[in-house]
Amino acid sequence: MAPLLGVLAGAGLFLVWWSAWEESGGRAARLPRASRLDDLLRNAGIEKVSGLGLITTCFGLAVFVALVFFVVTRSMPISCCFGLFGGWFPVALVRWRALKRTAVLRQLWPDVVDHLRSAIRAGLSLPEALIQLGDKGPEELRHLFRDFGADYRSGGQFDPALNRLKDRLADPVADRIVEALRLTRDVGGSDLGRLLGTLSEFLRESARTRSELEARQSWTVNAARLAVAAPWIVMVLLASRPEAVAAYNTPLGAAVLLGGLVVSVVCYSIMLRIGALPQDERVLR
């Protein structure tokens, strides 16, 4: 009898442990976390390219640029350096587009909030207020709110459609607006109009201040980029001379190129980190 009780107790403990493990795994499966590259692509407004597709593009462009420089210079060290630059170019382009889109959205969100406030004060429900932004909202965001309207009409469920809208917008300000609307719909309340009015004023003041800071910062960043690019522009000119190519084909020349590449990357990264303005992070996913 005692061995049987021991076996049953052990089986019970194992089942408890196993159920807890399944719950944790199920929760992770229900809430998958996107990779940083996927987040970057969504921030840039690129919806039809995945993180794997971006990596493949970087690799293909790196190989192509390296082959072109090798055909022109017949120098493997020089070709590898510029191949690395070519492979980094798609990521840099996507980051630039993400920053540009964020700056544009920063100017549009106050208008979006004002449209929502006016629609809600006119008696429209929250789904209707969001759907009408597909026709009356800012031009750059209308297609996203039209997609929200299609999702809501097809399923009739507000929360799933709102989650998909938040994923498409991929913006910290949009996260706050969406969660405020969700909370208001769940718990009710009569202060939504006042909340949206305060939020609109805050967003306008924040966008104005940040635009002034970015304007003052731009000349420093551009000067640093020129300082980093200048040596490699000189390298391209030197690659047209056979004696320079022969010098860089030696182990010492390759070491000089590698050291210059490391210094350029490290110094440029430090410059960006020191001079970067604080960025809003998406915490309400």
Side-chain angles (χ1 to χ4, degrees):
M1 188 65 180
L4 179 60
L5 293 176
V7 171
L8 292 176
L13 292 174
F14 173 77
L15 291 176
V16 170
W17 174 82
W18 183 259
S19 62
W21 178 265
E22 286 293 329
E23 183 179 358
S24 175
R27 185 179 294 110
R30 288 193 298 270
L31 298 174
R33 292 298 301 273
S35 66
R36 294 179 63 181
L37 284 179
D38 291 332
D39 286 341
L40 181 62
L41 289 167
R42 284 200 297 267
N43 289 337
I46 303 174
E47 301 177 0
K48 297 183 179 180
V49 179
S50 64
L52 181 60
L54 180 60
I55 293 175
T56 304
T57 302
C58 292
F59 180 76
L61 186 58
V63 173
F64 175 76
V65 172
L67 289 176
V68 169
F69 270 86
F70 183 76
V71 170
V72 173
T73 65
R74 297 296 177 180
S75 174
M76 184 59 68
I78 296 177
S79 302
C80 290
C81 287
F82 285 95
L84 292 176
F85 291 147
W88 183 251
F89 178 75
V91 177
L93 182 62
V94 172
R95 285 185 174 178
W96 173 81
R97 182 167 174 175
L99 291 175
K100 184 178 179 181
R101 179 176 180 266
T102 301
V104 171
L105 292 181
R106 193 182 302 124
Q107 303 295 329
L108 296 180
W109 286 126
D111 295 334
V112 172
V113 174
D114 288 341
H115 279 293
L116 284 174
R117 184 186 182 192
S118 300
I120 291 172
R121 293 180 65 180
L124 295 180
S125 63
L126 287 179
E128 293 171 344
L130 290 170
I131 291 173
Q132 60 92 27
L133 288 174
D135 297 323
K136 300 181 180 180
E139 185 68 29
E140 293 82 356
L141 297 174
R142 287 184 181 180
H143 68 285
L144 297 175
F145 289 103
R146 292 194 190 103
D147 292 339
F148 167 80
D151 291 338
Y152 181 73
R153 292 189 184 98
S154 63
Q157 297 182 350
F158 183 68
D159 280 345
L162 201 61
N163 289 333
R164 286 190 286 271
L165 174 64
K166 186 167 66 170
D167 291 338
R168 295 189 189 104
L169 291 171
D171 186 82
V173 179
D175 292 344
R176 291 195 287 269
I177 296 173
V178 166
E179 294 304 326
L181 296 177
R182 191 198 310 275
L183 183 63
T184 302
R185 181 179 175 87
D186 291 341
V187 304
S190 58
D191 294 334
L192 180 59
R194 185 183 306 172
L195 171 65
L196 293 177
T198 304
L199 180 59
S200 176
E201 295 176 1
F202 171 77
L203 292 177
R204 281 193 171 89
E205 184 65 27
S206 176
R208 188 181 306 112
T209 303
R210 193 173 187 90
S211 297
E212 294 177 359
L213 293 175
E214 289 178 346
R216 297 179 180 180
Q217 182 199 35
S218 60
W219 68 272
T220 304
V221 175
N222 291 332
R225 289 172 178 170
L226 180 60
V228 171
W232 299 100
I233 296 175
V234 174
M235 172 61 62
V236 174
L237 298 177
L238 289 176
S240 61
R241 300 176 61 89
E243 58 271 19
V245 173
Y248 284 114
N249 280 336
T250 63
L252 182 59
V256 170
L257 279 179
L258 179 60
L261 179 64
V262 171
V263 170
S264 298
V265 172
V266 171
C267 292
Y268 184 69
S269 301
I270 293 175
M271 181 277 299
L272 290 182
R273 186 173 296 274
I274 293 176
L277 296 175
Q279 296 288 340
D280 290 338
E281 297 183 0
R282 298 187 63 196
V283 295
L284 300 174
R285 299 193 182 192

